[in-house]
Amino acid sequence: TTRVLTGITPSGTPHLGNYVGAIRPAIAASAASDIESFFFLADLHSLIKAQEPERTQRSTLEIAASWLACGLDPDKVWFYRQSDIPETTELMWFLTVIASKGILNRAHAYKAAVDKNREEQLDEDAGISAGLFMYPVLMAADILIFKANKVPVGRDQIQHIEMARDFAQRFNHVYGKEYFPLPEVVIDEQVATLAGLDGRKMSKSYHNTIPLFAPRAELKKLVFSILTDSRAPGEPKSTEGSALFQMYQAFASPAQTAAFAQAFADGISWGDAKQQLFERIDAELTPLRERYDALMAEPEKIEALLRRRGQQLREQYAIPLLKELRHAVGLRDLS
Ligand code: TYM
């Protein structure tokens, strides 16, 4: 069987980009019978961005409820919290000592922070934590601890998966055995990067997101605020580079998308196009939103589920693997 693994950082509520780029494809793929799926809440990663205990807890719960509401079956797939598997951070250290610093210097998130400091004529590492710098190593540990073969992610994560491959390869080489398979990145070409309200990639850091479970009225308001060009009703509209069209496509069947493209060519007004988009998204999300609200009313059930699955994963995979790895690197056995 192939092991498929992906994580989501619980910072704030999930948005449509997370849904289209990660949650929906991951759940769809997990239905196949010959794969073992691992979906987790990267709460250790979230500490890098925000050191606010209540927010971390709240957000972890929200993201968990989101995946469950989107149809994840917690008895069929492994669904867990990163911090419930402490072996991950031990593995992170084993990877840290073999990871090259030069590769980490080139990580997009770190480089972007450095570039921003340079632009503002600050010291280049000003305000950048070692946690941000080490982010890719923790992510590699997430992937390797369960020997994942495939990692479905959005485009922004490709470099991280490549690094995980690099660290796995080095580890295997240094300690002389195929301890880890090399993880492969999986990108859904159609929808890998969903645009946000302003046409840039939908991202919390751009403040251009549509929350996945926004109440209907808010969803509608946000859809109507999507940036368009100024072509008048009756004028043909271009689907090329249109955030509105791309979002429609992400929520529609090929036939519906073709009809929408035709409406663009026929000069549909932006108001009508937005109304159609709103209805399409709302039709897909309404049942999910209802399940989400029900789940959030019973947080202790989610908590119990995460604990149970985390414990099982440790016993079945993480603890035995770390026993083997401690031996491999020359450390004493704990048991
Ligand atoms: P995060 O929480 O930033 O995003 C979760 C997933 O959503 C994808 N994504 C998008 N896809 C399409 N369009 C967008 N606008 C968009 N925005 C986000 C991301 O690519 C990602 O797949 N570091 C990871 C979490 C993580 C992880 C891992 C993932 C930690 N360990 C191990 C895979 C394997 C992150 O912060 O994703």
Side-chain angles (χ1 to χ4, degrees), residues 5-9 15 17-18 21-22 40 42 45 135 139 142-143 151 153-157 191-194 201-202:
L5 174 145
T6 200
I8 184 160
T9 305
H15 55 70
N18 301 136
F40 70 97
H45 275 109
Y135 189 115
M139 191 158 150
D142 294 329
I143 296 170
V151 187
V153 285
R155 224 163 252 299
D156 58 333
Q157 299 294 323
V191 289
T193 306
L194 193 71
K201 174 191 138 182
M202 188 178 287

Side-chain angles (χ1 to χ4, degrees), residues 220 223-224 270-280:
K220 183 160 180 179
V223 167
F224 273 79
W270 286 125
D272 288 347
K274 286 174 175 177
Q275 181 62 29
Q276 285 194 26
L277 172 61
F278 162 68
E279 283 169 13
R280 207 56 300 296

Side-chain angles (χ1 to χ4, degrees), residues 53-205:
E54 276 90 45
R55 203 178 135 209
T56 299
Q57 270 208 333
R58 168 97 200 152
S59 181
T60 303
L61 194 68
E62 284 175 357
I63 306 268
S66 303
W67 282 76
L68 293 166
C70 291
L72 176 137
D73 180 346
D75 291 313
K76 290 227 178 79
V77 309
W78 292 108
F79 186 52
Y80 58 102
R81 202 164 29 199
Q82 185 184 31
S83 63
D84 283 342
I85 319 288
E87 289 73 22
T88 302
T89 43
E90 191 174 355
L91 172 56
M92 182 191 173
W93 182 251
F94 295 166
L95 299 175
T96 300
V97 300
I98 54 122
S100 105
K101 177 170 175 288
I103 283 189
L104 295 175
N105 286 339
R106 292 193 285 277
H108 297 318
Y110 172 68
K111 252 178 54 186
V114 167
D115 289 345
K116 187 156 170 280
N117 278 339
R118 284 208 186 111
E119 248 166 56
E120 292 169 12
Q121 308 201 330
L122 297 166
D123 181 85
E124 66 173 36
D125 279 325
I128 301 178
S129 73
L132 179 68
F133 188 69
M134 298 300 291
Y135 189 115
V137 189
L138 178 56
M139 191 158 150
D142 294 329
I143 296 170
L144 301 181
I145 189 111
F146 298 121
K147 302 189 178 184
N149 307 101
K150 302 211 151 148
V151 187
V153 285
R155 224 163 252 299
D156 58 333
Q157 299 294 323
I158 295 177
Q159 188 194 35
H160 292 147
I161 316 304
E162 284 166 357
M163 290 185 182
R165 283 173 71 89
D166 181 83
F167 304 152
Q169 211 156 13
R170 268 172 203 258
F171 190 95
N172 291 345
H173 178 73
V174 169
Y175 296 106
K177 197 177 134 186
E178 208 59 30
Y179 289 99
F180 303 113
L182 303 186
E184 282 168 36
V185 65
V186 180
I187 303 273
D188 185 335
E189 288 297 341
Q190 277 275 308
V191 289
T193 306
L194 193 71
L197 300 176
D198 57 358
R200 292 188 290 173
K201 174 191 138 182
M202 188 178 287
S203 163
K204 283 161 224 161
S205 29

Side-chain angles (χ1 to χ4, degrees), residues 30-45:
S30 73
S33 58
D34 54 343
I35 65 166
E36 186 175 9
S37 298
F38 299 75
F39 298 146
F40 70 97
L41 306 152
D43 54 350
L44 296 174
H45 275 109

Side-chain angles (χ1 to χ4, degrees), residues 78-87 146 303-320:
W78 292 108
F79 186 52
Y80 58 102
R81 202 164 29 199
Q82 185 184 31
S83 63
D84 283 342
I85 319 288
E87 289 73 22
F146 298 121
E303 180 59 36
L305 165 83
L306 292 174
R307 277 181 198 233
R308 173 167 65 85
R309 293 303 264 168
Q311 195 52 39
Q312 288 170 345
L313 268 177
R314 289 188 71 199
E315 282 162 17
Q316 208 166 313
Y317 296 120
I319 293 174

